[in-house]
Amino acid sequence: MEFLSNKPLLITDTILRDAHQSQAATRMTIEDMLPALETLDSIGYYSLECWGGATFDACMRFLGEDPWERLRTIRKHVKHTKLQMLFRGQNILGYKHYADDVVDAFCAKSIENGIDIIRIFDALNDVRNLEQAIKSTKKYGGQVEATLSYTMSPIHNEAYFVKLARELEEMGADMICIKDMANLLLPMDAYSLVKALKETVSVPIHLHTHNTSGTGDMTLLMAAYAGVDIVDTALSPMANGTSQPATESLVATLKGTVRDTGLDLGKMSDAAVHFRQVAQRLQDAGILDPKVLRVDTNTLLYQVPGGMLSNLISQLKQAGKEDKYYDVLAEIPRVRKDFGYPPLVTPSSQIVGTQAVMNIVMGERYKVFPKESKAMLKGEYGQLPGEVNPEVRAKASIAPEDVVTCRPADLLEPELEKYRQEFRGLAKSDEDVLSLALFPQVAPKFIEKRDHQPEPVSDDAPAVRELYVDAKSIL
């Protein structure tokens, strides 16, 4: 088999975001990152994924950090490499839909504070939920990485994803990301899908996978053969298992081929020395559970993403129900089918996962519906890909005529000014307003505590940085 591209494979390293989200419930601190930032910046990565996803919530809820200050600090030390974030479309970084003006403001502030690339996804692949974030990212000079939330079901096949990619390119995507959050994209399927996408769209293709089922390295290699432009990997101290395949392994594999990354394994080794110490600290603290490092081919059945697995283990530990782990995993695909086959990624993964936990712990399926389950079944998160089990919807007291069929955000009035007024006594900046709007239970306590502490050392203003190659120039 010959490589279908003779260009260097570009690498996005996830050590600052998804690696520790997937293995250690997002508990890496900015102090853990700081000693290695300039080394990471010198390696030659296409980008560093460092923000978004669950990091925003975890910073305030568990780590006592201002997520905006974290971003500014990273930007101050990473001056040559693009920074990228994960953004949940109309959900932003929260768990519900926000009005268009809030989405717009969040995109503006993310870019102003240092983000170059915004990876925008919707848990249901409802493109209507990506419209505003795509417009706003482009409006403020960011790059749009529009995302296919990859999954397997009777509805989701290669033709489905190729059609979706074409729509996203027409909407203004600068890149298309295949987001394989549960490591379901098998190597030969990856080859076929990447090849089909390269033949259909003209923008770069970026592949994100995990190594939960042990196939991630092979998936990335086959995608490289098929001509994928960029892939996500994680430095080895927090690679594999529920995280991404190891960066060093792929770089070594491709050395001397037409897809040679050209990256410096020596510098990676220097950074890895530091992050091994961080990983050991998290493991000693009981945060990084060895379960997340094992290969579990049951993932191909349960379709549970890495970040959800580490959080599920943590939640079951707290509830003293660790013995129900595999019962809950077996219930997840049953709930998913009843809910119309949503891909399992935030927030749908949490919604389906919580419903599965309730069904098992209560000893009766659908005895209790969390409000988020009802909202999903009602269409408040967008159009579900498949048919919802009508008996389950009826059990949730949702009549067919009550199901939302328009773009959910069209039902929301502008909210930003309301939030500014509501939090005017507490918020010290527009960034604070957005933190409070997204996490009204967590942010007030954090901000009150923060404002009684000494001023942070890092600069308030976003650091000036050198931007490297534009995505379209890698074609």
Side-chain angles (χ1 to χ4, degrees), residues 2 7 19 42-43 56 61 65 72-73 81 83 95 139 188 192 195-196 211 215 224 243 249 338 421 443 445 467 472:
E2 293 183 4
K7 294 190 175 183
S42 72
I43 288 170
F56 201 94
R61 189 186 299 267
E65 285 185 34
R72 288 191 288 265
T73 300
T81 309
L83 299 181
Y95 305 98
K139 173 181 170 184
M188 298 312 295
S192 181
K195 189 169 178 289
N211 219 4
T215 62
S243 179
S249 304
D338 288 339
Q421 291 304 313
K445 295 173 189 172
L467 291 183
K472 289 190 176 178

Side-chain angles (χ1 to χ4, degrees), residues 369 377 389-399:
F369 284 93
L377 292 169
N389 184 332
E391 293 178 8
V392 172
R393 193 174 254 162
K395 211 166 183 181
S397 304
I398 300 167

Side-chain angles (χ1 to χ4, degrees), residues 48-60:
L48 288 166
E49 193 206 33
C50 65
W51 210 58
T55 60
F56 201 94
D57 184 1
C59 274
M60 295 187 292

Side-chain angles (χ1 to χ4, degrees), residues 39-288:
T39 301
L40 292 174
D41 192 26
S42 72
I43 288 170
Y45 291 125
Y46 173 69
S47 65
L48 288 166
E49 193 206 33
C50 65
W51 210 58
T55 60
F56 201 94
D57 184 1
C59 274
M60 295 187 292
R61 189 186 299 267
F62 301 114
L63 304 177
E65 285 185 34
D66 187 327
W68 299 99
E69 187 62 29
R70 172 182 287 197
L71 175 56
R72 288 191 288 265
T73 300
I74 294 171
R75 181 79 277 173
K76 180 180 177 183
H77 293 273
V78 178
K79 297 180 180 178
H80 306 291
T81 309
K82 291 181 186 228
L83 299 181
Q84 75 177 72
M85 69 173 292
L86 184 64
F87 191 98
R88 299 170 190 155
Q90 210 70 33
N91 296 135
I92 309 179
L93 300 180
Y95 305 98
K96 67 169 190 174
H97 273 38
Y98 295 89
D100 288 341
D101 61 338
V102 181
V103 174
D104 184 75
F106 203 98
C107 289
K109 286 297 173 183
S110 298
I111 293 165
E112 180 185 321
N113 282 278
I115 289 295
D116 301 301
I117 303 166
I118 302 185
R119 179 179 289 171
I120 306 165
F121 77 95
D122 179 63
L124 305 181
N125 286 320
D126 187 338
V127 296
R128 301 172 305 172
N129 292 334
L130 304 180
E131 286 175 8
Q132 184 60 54
I134 289 174
K135 287 178 190 171
S136 296
T137 299
K138 295 183 83 69
K139 173 181 170 184
Y140 297 109
Q143 289 182 279
V144 171
E145 189 168 296
T147 304
L148 318 175
S149 293
Y150 185 82
T151 189
M152 295 159 52
S153 81
I155 294 141
H156 299 91
N157 55 29
E158 186 175 288
Y160 169 95
F161 289 112
V162 170
K163 178 176 179 288
L164 182 59
R166 191 182 297 116
E167 287 181 58
L168 294 172
E169 183 180 29
E170 290 169 357
M171 289 171 67
D174 298 303
M175 292 167 274
I176 300 292
C177 175
I178 306 166
K179 181 174 170 59
D180 177 26
M181 53 276 177
N183 189 206
L184 302 176
L185 181 59
L186 295 173
M188 298 312 295
D189 294 330
Y191 180 88
S192 181
L193 177 57
V194 169
K195 189 169 178 289
L197 289 173
K198 293 296 291 180
E199 291 168 352
T200 305
V201 299
S202 61
V203 296
I205 306 300
H206 191 157
L207 174 58
H208 167 93
T209 192
H210 292 249
N211 219 4
T212 320
S213 62
T215 62
D217 294 283
M218 294 178 279
T219 293
L220 294 186
L221 185 59
M222 292 309 298
Y225 269 99
V228 76
D229 298 285
I230 318 163
V231 297
D232 283 3
T233 56
L235 275 175
S236 55
M238 285 193 178
N240 297 314
T242 53
S243 179
Q244 280 70 52
T247 309
E248 300 96 314
S249 304
L250 186 64
V251 168
T253 298
L254 294 174
K255 193 168 180 61
T257 73
V258 293
R259 304 240 56 196
D260 191 328
T261 65
L263 300 185
D264 189 328
L265 280 167
K267 289 179 180 177
M268 287 181 196
S269 180
D270 292 342
V273 168
H274 169 72
F275 285 112
R276 267 195 291 276
Q277 296 171 344
V278 175
Q280 189 62 54
R281 178 185 71 76
L282 292 170
Q283 192 162 337
D284 291 345
I287 295 167
L288 200 162

Side-chain angles (χ1 to χ4, degrees), residues 289-350:
D289 191 299
K291 277 195 185 84
V292 302
L293 302 177
R294 298 176 195 151
V295 167
D296 187 354
T297 52
N298 283 323
T299 303
L300 298 171
L301 171 65
Y302 304 138
Q303 302 197 16
V304 177
M308 182 180 172
L309 274 177
S310 65
N311 282 315
L312 180 62
I313 291 166
S314 175
Q315 289 162 9
L316 287 172
K317 267 185 181 176
Q318 291 171 16
K321 298 285 185 181
E322 283 182 273
D323 61 316
K324 299 291 185 184
Y325 178 66
Y326 283 102
D327 293 333
V328 170
L329 286 184
E331 176 67 1
I332 285 171
R334 295 191 286 262
V335 172
R336 182 172 176 251
K337 180 181 178 183
D338 288 339
F339 279 36
Y341 292 109
L344 292 182
V345 63
T346 305
S348 60
S349 54
Q350 284 84 349

